Amino acid sequence: VWEGVRRGAKEKLEETRKALEAEAGCTVTADVSDTNDPAQAIAEAVEAHSGDLVVMGTHGHSGLKHAFLGSVAERTLRTSACPVLAVKEEGATAAAPISRILVAMDFSSHAEEAARVATRLAKRLGASVDVLHAFELPRDYIPYTSAFGVELEQKVEAGVAEKLDSVRERLEATDVPVTLHYRRGHPSLVIADTAKTIGCQLIVMGTRGQSGLAHVLLGSVAERTLRAAPCSVLVVKGEEETA
């Protein structure tokens, strides 16, 4: 049975390889992995081929279906050493020109790398860049119980505005049109809603790639964004931060 499945996979893969080679005009290789874990197989292929980018489709499951099936794309986000482009759209919309790129910015080294990648893409594609910072207060925080609470919020907003202006200056120095956004709410939902509202064709964001207990406790904004996003998501990793 396994040999039959393998032969069928090889035949379909070869058809895909030929079609891609004809369309792209370059050499395309094709492999079938014996690894039971798809995310591990992708990581091994990246290492074997010195890959610079992983491109994959995702069903974007949520709720009960996500709990049962999990997501190869999400596990790949955590394990891949190189950027991952998760394509969510149908073929026609995924192939449409990219004119507007949304960058999720939390001012970490990973987000800074995402901004650099988005800027390089925007220059090559003739696109504009929207930089978004989403800020969520703790659920038990009541800002108006004291003057200190109001003052704290004002300081936070002033600090965010200053940092966003600094990001804009750096990006505009590359002659890419930049628009800033600052919204409150859960980051993944804010990112997905903003991308839909302003009509972005691509979301670029950083991830810390947490796994194990840290991932269970903290979750991943990148993974939750991938589930909610209306368009494709490119996830990159920056230099590890010591603080």
Side-chain angles (χ1 to χ4, degrees):
V1 172
W2 172 244
E3 285 303 318
V5 170
R6 185 180 177 83
R7 282 196 302 272
K10 278 191 171 184
E11 289 173 3
K12 287 189 175 182
L13 201 60
E14 181 61 18
E15 291 175 5
T16 302
R17 188 195 68 76
K18 289 180 179 178
L20 289 174
E21 202 165 65
E23 182 176 351
C26 63
T27 302
V28 178
T29 60
D31 299 312
V32 175
S33 173
D34 291 326
T35 305
N36 291 329
D37 183 350
Q40 181 184 340
I42 293 169
E44 291 173 354
V46 168
E47 184 175 359
H49 295 284
S50 300
D52 298 309
L53 176 69
V54 174
V55 182
M56 61 191 303
T58 178
H59 299 291
H61 294 308
S62 59
L64 191 60
K65 184 174 288 188
H66 179 269
F68 275 114
L69 299 178
S71 169
V72 175
E74 290 178 18
R75 293 202 304 276
T76 302
L77 293 186
R78 296 197 294 271
T79 58
S80 176
C82 66
V84 178
L85 173 61
V87 180
K88 293 190 68 174
E89 305 106 310
E90 297 296 326
T93 53
I98 294 175
S99 60
R100 200 163 186 176
I101 300 173
L102 178 65
V103 179
M105 174 57 65
D106 64 1
F107 311 112
S108 67
S109 64
H110 307 280
E112 293 289 349
E113 178 63 18
R116 286 190 288 270
V117 170
T119 303
R120 292 196 295 268
L121 277 174
K123 285 182 69 69
R124 295 177 66 178
L125 300 172
S128 62
V129 171
D130 290 81
V131 180
L132 166 69
H133 177 75
F135 177 68
E136 183 179 34
L137 290 167
R139 292 185 179 182
D140 58 352
Y141 174 71
I142 304 175
Y144 302 110
T145 55
S146 69
F148 174 74
V150 177
E151 183 181 351
L152 176 63
E153 281 198 59
Q154 292 173 343
K155 285 184 176 180
V156 169
E157 290 186 353
V160 168
E162 183 178 347
K163 288 184 177 181
L164 283 176
D165 280 336
S166 176
V167 172
R168 174 167 56 188
E169 289 177 4
R170 293 199 304 273
L171 299 189
E172 285 183 341
T174 64
D175 296 325
V176 171
V178 179
T179 304
L180 302 180
H181 305 269
Y182 172 51
R183 289 183 55 187
R184 292 191 179 186
H186 192 284
S188 59
L189 297 180
V190 169
I191 293 166
D193 182 66
T194 302
K196 183 178 181 180
T197 301
I198 64 179
C200 289
Q201 294 83 31
L202 179 66
I203 296 171
V204 183
M205 61 189 304
T207 180
R208 292 172 176 81
Q210 290 160 333
S211 59
L213 185 60
H215 179 264
V216 171
L217 293 177
L218 300 175
S220 168
V221 174
E223 291 176 26
R224 291 195 292 269
T225 300
L226 183 58
R227 284 175 233 159
C231 59
S232 297
V233 180
L234 174 60
V235 178
V236 303
K237 294 178 183 177
E239 295 296 326
E240 290 300 324
E241 297 166 316
T242 57

